[in-house]
Amino acid sequence: MYLAPSFCNVFFNLATGLYIFFFTYNMGDAGLLSVMGSIGVATSMACMLMPILTSKLRKRDLFLLLTLLEIALRIGFYTTGYDSLIMVFGFLALIHAANVITNPLISAMLSETIEYAELKSGRRCAAIAFSGQTFTGKLAWAIAGGISGTLLIWLGYQPNAAQTQATMDGLFICISLVPILGSILRVMIMTRYNFTEDKHAKVRHALNKWRSISSL
């Protein structure tokens, strides 16, 4: 279960891979992609807010809140359109900030499940778990890259040519709304995740007790 939310990023990655086409044809300037890159770097600093946020909310609840916020922002982005460059970058910056914080949250929850598995099995499989997370993230990017090519063909994209309005509308939908599918799946998955901080504290207490006995 803990790897599924990472894989659901395939929809987010798909939108990210299509930015170059969106900025080139919908916005009329491929150079805007560099601005989006700078925004991505800047919004990655939002991860520094995680200790503050997790001191106020449980990790699962924070994950759900941020994912629902991303859904709302994407709907707002689509409703507003892309006539205003400031609004486009404003919405994309907020969307990326909301999404980027969920990544360390997944890693933090993963580390907790490792200790739960250790208590149940007597084996600590941190390397396997985190390598699984890395593999899942890379798989999501690979699948997103494969889908993007097929999707461009389906949208009627013509390279190095003016695109039809239908193609540009399709690109905007892919950028704004399609990632909501992944967000909905993440919400469905994480609502079933009930390994809270209280349960983790009990697991850590039991592990410490077990380790102290084993060391005798």
Side-chain angles (χ1 to χ4, degrees):
M1 174 184 286
Y2 59 78
L3 294 179
S6 294
F7 180 76
C8 289
N9 263 336
V10 64
F11 296 94
F12 185 90
N13 298 341
L14 174 63
T16 302
L18 293 176
Y19 280 164
I20 180 61
F21 301 98
F22 172 74
F23 288 123
T24 299
Y25 299 103
N26 293 60
M27 304 299 295
D29 185 358
L32 294 174
L33 184 64
S34 62
V35 179
M36 192 61 236
S38 299
I39 290 176
V41 172
T43 54
S44 66
M45 302 298 291
C47 292
M48 298 177 65
L49 296 174
M50 198 184 83
I52 300 173
L53 295 174
T54 52
S55 68
K56 306 294 183 181
L57 295 169
R58 291 179 175 178
K59 286 186 281 291
R60 189 202 73 157
D61 296 341
L62 178 59
F63 183 96
L64 290 172
L65 180 62
L66 289 169
T67 305
L68 291 172
L69 174 60
E70 183 182 343
I71 292 174
L73 287 169
R74 288 191 176 280
I75 293 173
F77 179 32
Y78 177 75
T79 303
T80 304
Y82 53 88
D83 293 331
S84 170
L85 184 61
I86 294 176
M87 293 298 291
V88 168
F89 283 127
F91 272 112
L92 289 177
L94 292 173
I95 287 168
H96 276 251
N99 180 272
V100 75
I101 301 176
T102 63
N103 294 325
L105 282 174
I106 293 175
S107 297
M109 289 186 283
L110 174 58
S111 66
E112 294 174 352
T113 60
I114 290 170
E115 293 183 330
Y116 175 80
E118 181 183 2
L119 180 64
K120 293 296 182 180
S121 66
R123 296 182 178 180
R124 188 174 182 86
C125 301
I128 295 175
F130 282 110
S131 63
Q133 184 187 26
T134 301
F135 172 77
T136 303
K138 293 182 180 297
L139 180 63
W141 271 111
I143 293 177
I147 293 176
S148 63
T150 303
L151 188 58
L152 287 171
I153 295 174
W154 184 73
L155 292 175
Y157 167 75
Q158 297 295 324
N160 303 316
Q163 307 303 315
T164 65
Q165 188 61 46
T167 300
M168 291 191 293
D169 289 344
L171 284 171
F172 183 49
I173 290 174
C174 290
I175 293 296
S176 57
L177 296 183
V178 167
I180 290 178
L181 297 175
S183 297
I184 291 174
L185 289 174
R186 290 177 122 199
V187 169
M188 293 173 62
I189 293 167
M190 292 308 296
T191 51
R192 297 169 59 88
Y193 182 87
N194 59 5
F195 191 60
T196 63
E197 280 80 351
D198 293 337
K199 292 182 179 180
H200 179 234
K202 293 179 181 179
V203 166
R204 286 183 61 86
H205 176 74
L207 273 177
N208 291 333
K209 185 177 180 180
W210 176 69
R211 287 167 181 165
S212 63
I213 294 174
S214 299
S215 63
L216 295 177

